[in-house]
Amino acid sequence: MSGTRGTARARGKLSTGKFFTGKLSTLVRGWPILLLTVLLLALALPAGMLIAPALTGPAQSSAQPVQTPAWQLVPNRLSVPQGIDPLSSAAPVPVPADVAARLDPVLKTDGGGTFTAVVQDAATGKVLYDRNGAANRIPASNMKLLTAVAALRGIGPGERFSTRVITGPAAAAGTRSVVLVGGGDVLLGAGESAEAKVLGHAGLATLAKQTVDSLRKDGFKGQVRVLVDDSLFSGPALNPAWSPDDVAAGETAPLFPLALNSARFDPADTAAPRPQDSAMAAGSAFAAGLKTAGAAAGVTVAPAVVRLDGKPTAGGKVLAEVQSATVSQQVDLMLQTSDNYLAETLGRMTAVAAGQPGTSDAAKAAVLNELAGLGIPTGGMVTADVSGLALGNQVSARQFAEVVRAITNGKDTRLRAALAGFPVAGLTGTLGDRYIDESTAEGAGLVRAKTGTLNTVIALSGYVVDADGRLLVFSFIGNGLTPGAEGNKPALDTAATALAGCGCS
């Protein structure tokens, strides 16, 4: 019995298993259809919700309309510009004690030597900080500020220097001589005139083409002999106050009233030695341009370029002429790049404009005369050159601050032309690679100043608008410094940055 029951249960289980197995097989066979059905339902429901309103009209709802984000709305007022506010005479003048509290902790030398300093309110001239500011110091290239002022006053910001070609002395039959006359432009380019530039504004290739055109109009074909007249400058071409090592290193070169690229072989290489006879180098470049321009016109050029024997060439007929960038533009370039050769040239041209000879001594006298004409005290000031390369220069921080004040606020508005030449901290010129670390970055774009550097000398003179909107002028000079000490430039930069952030009223 028990056996019979057991067999029956087994048969029942087997039948049940077959039933479920059959059902499972049916489900498996129908699984793709089931999945497809679910998928269609999933897609149909949202689609239906989107389509339904179009068929039945908008649903009646009490929900509020979606608000337009504020940033998508039309503004109802102009945004406040982020920058330096316009200067106002109502801006408070800094309190001297507060200025001292900012400068004294940072204006410290790295090693030996001392800093002198003066800070003034530009509008009133009030001295806000004075650390032995009347003491004479070696100023290095801050001397170029004096030369800039002198050139703008003595020559004029809009004046230009002409480089001419005139007919020369009589030559053998079938030949002619032409004279390249230097007029003070030492920024000549070898190629075509580039009127949008300062360096190369006047090009010798353009001058050569003009010369060939004039010769052709005269019906001349034959050989041309090139002479160079550099008699506008006289006296020693090298200032005896300059170190021969500085000359050999290319800091400057013998002075002539015409030169290519401010007496450089390559304008992009400012650390290389310079040509020692820039006038003849310019003459050779002009002769090469004349040869190229004259080839199709039957004009040939004698191989040798000769310096005129010192006789003026005032009576010659002008065949061609190109003009330099303006004095204002040249001053800006001089201040931005701190070019000694250009500074000395502008000094000599200031003397020439005053009817004096184009000598180094006349240049120094002309600079002092122009400063005196501005009412800037020159007592005790010593000028060994007008570029700052000489160690014999002696000028006080107070005198430099007065010069900067004359540029920014003085009655002679011609001096305003020098404002654009001041290097901008962290951006341009000799300050382009400074004001980039944490201690000075806040002065980037705000401090504008002329730099000066010699072996044991560092200087920084310029102007800045403080946090209250007050224009301040300053001059910091370090002398007797430890050569190679790394902390002296940052000390001056940090001091100028402190002035920029000064809310010292």
Side-chain angles (χ1 to χ4, degrees), residues 265-416:
F265 292 107
D266 180 356
D269 189 356
T270 58
R274 303 183 190 233
Q276 296 301 291
D277 193 334
S278 64
M280 294 304 291
S284 296
F286 170 72
L290 197 63
K291 180 178 179 180
T292 300
V299 175
T300 60
V301 181
V305 177
V306 181
R307 177 175 270 111
L308 204 64
D309 61 5
K311 297 178 182 178
T313 53
K317 174 187 174 182
V318 176
L319 300 174
E321 181 176 9
V322 289
Q323 292 194 317
S324 71
T326 65
V327 167
S328 171
Q329 292 171 317
Q330 294 188 55
V331 164
D332 285 354
L333 181 64
M334 173 191 69
L335 295 177
Q336 285 282 332
T337 62
S338 202
D339 190 320
N340 296 313
Y341 197 93
L342 180 56
E344 294 293 336
T345 299
L346 289 172
R348 292 197 185 202
M349 291 303 292
T350 303
V352 169
Q356 301 301 312
T359 65
S360 177
D361 287 342
K364 293 181 289 184
V367 168
L368 290 176
N369 287 340
E370 294 298 337
L371 293 176
L374 279 172
I376 294 174
T378 58
M381 189 183 291
V382 177
T383 55
D385 67 10
V386 297
S387 61
L389 188 60
L391 290 172
N393 293 307
Q394 292 286 309
V395 187
S396 71
R398 178 62 183 270
Q399 288 167 322
F400 277 117
E402 289 290 351
V403 167
V404 178
R405 185 168 171 249
I407 293 171
T408 60
N409 283 66
K411 294 181 180 179
D412 191 338
T413 56
R414 291 174 296 179
L415 305 187
R416 302 289 189 275

Side-chain angles (χ1 to χ4, degrees), residues 171-188:
T175 65
R176 291 183 67 171
S177 64
V178 297
V179 183
L180 177 66
V181 183
D185 186 2
V186 297
L187 304 178
L188 292 165

Side-chain angles (χ1 to χ4, degrees), residues 184-221:
D185 186 2
V186 297
L187 304 178
L188 292 165
E192 299 285 343
S193 295
E195 295 185 355
K197 298 181 179 180
V198 180
L199 189 68
H201 185 90
L204 292 180
T206 297
L207 192 68
K209 287 180 179 179
Q210 292 179 10
T211 302
V212 169
D213 287 343
S214 293
L215 293 173
R216 187 169 51 197
K217 289 177 181 177
D218 288 345
F220 175 78
K221 290 185 178 181

Side-chain angles (χ1 to χ4, degrees), residues 461-485:
S461 298
Y463 63 97
V464 67
V465 178
D466 74 3
D468 290 329
R470 197 77 187 184
L471 181 64
L472 309 179
V473 299
F474 64 88
S475 179
F476 307 138
I477 306 175
N479 274 194
L481 305 176
T482 302

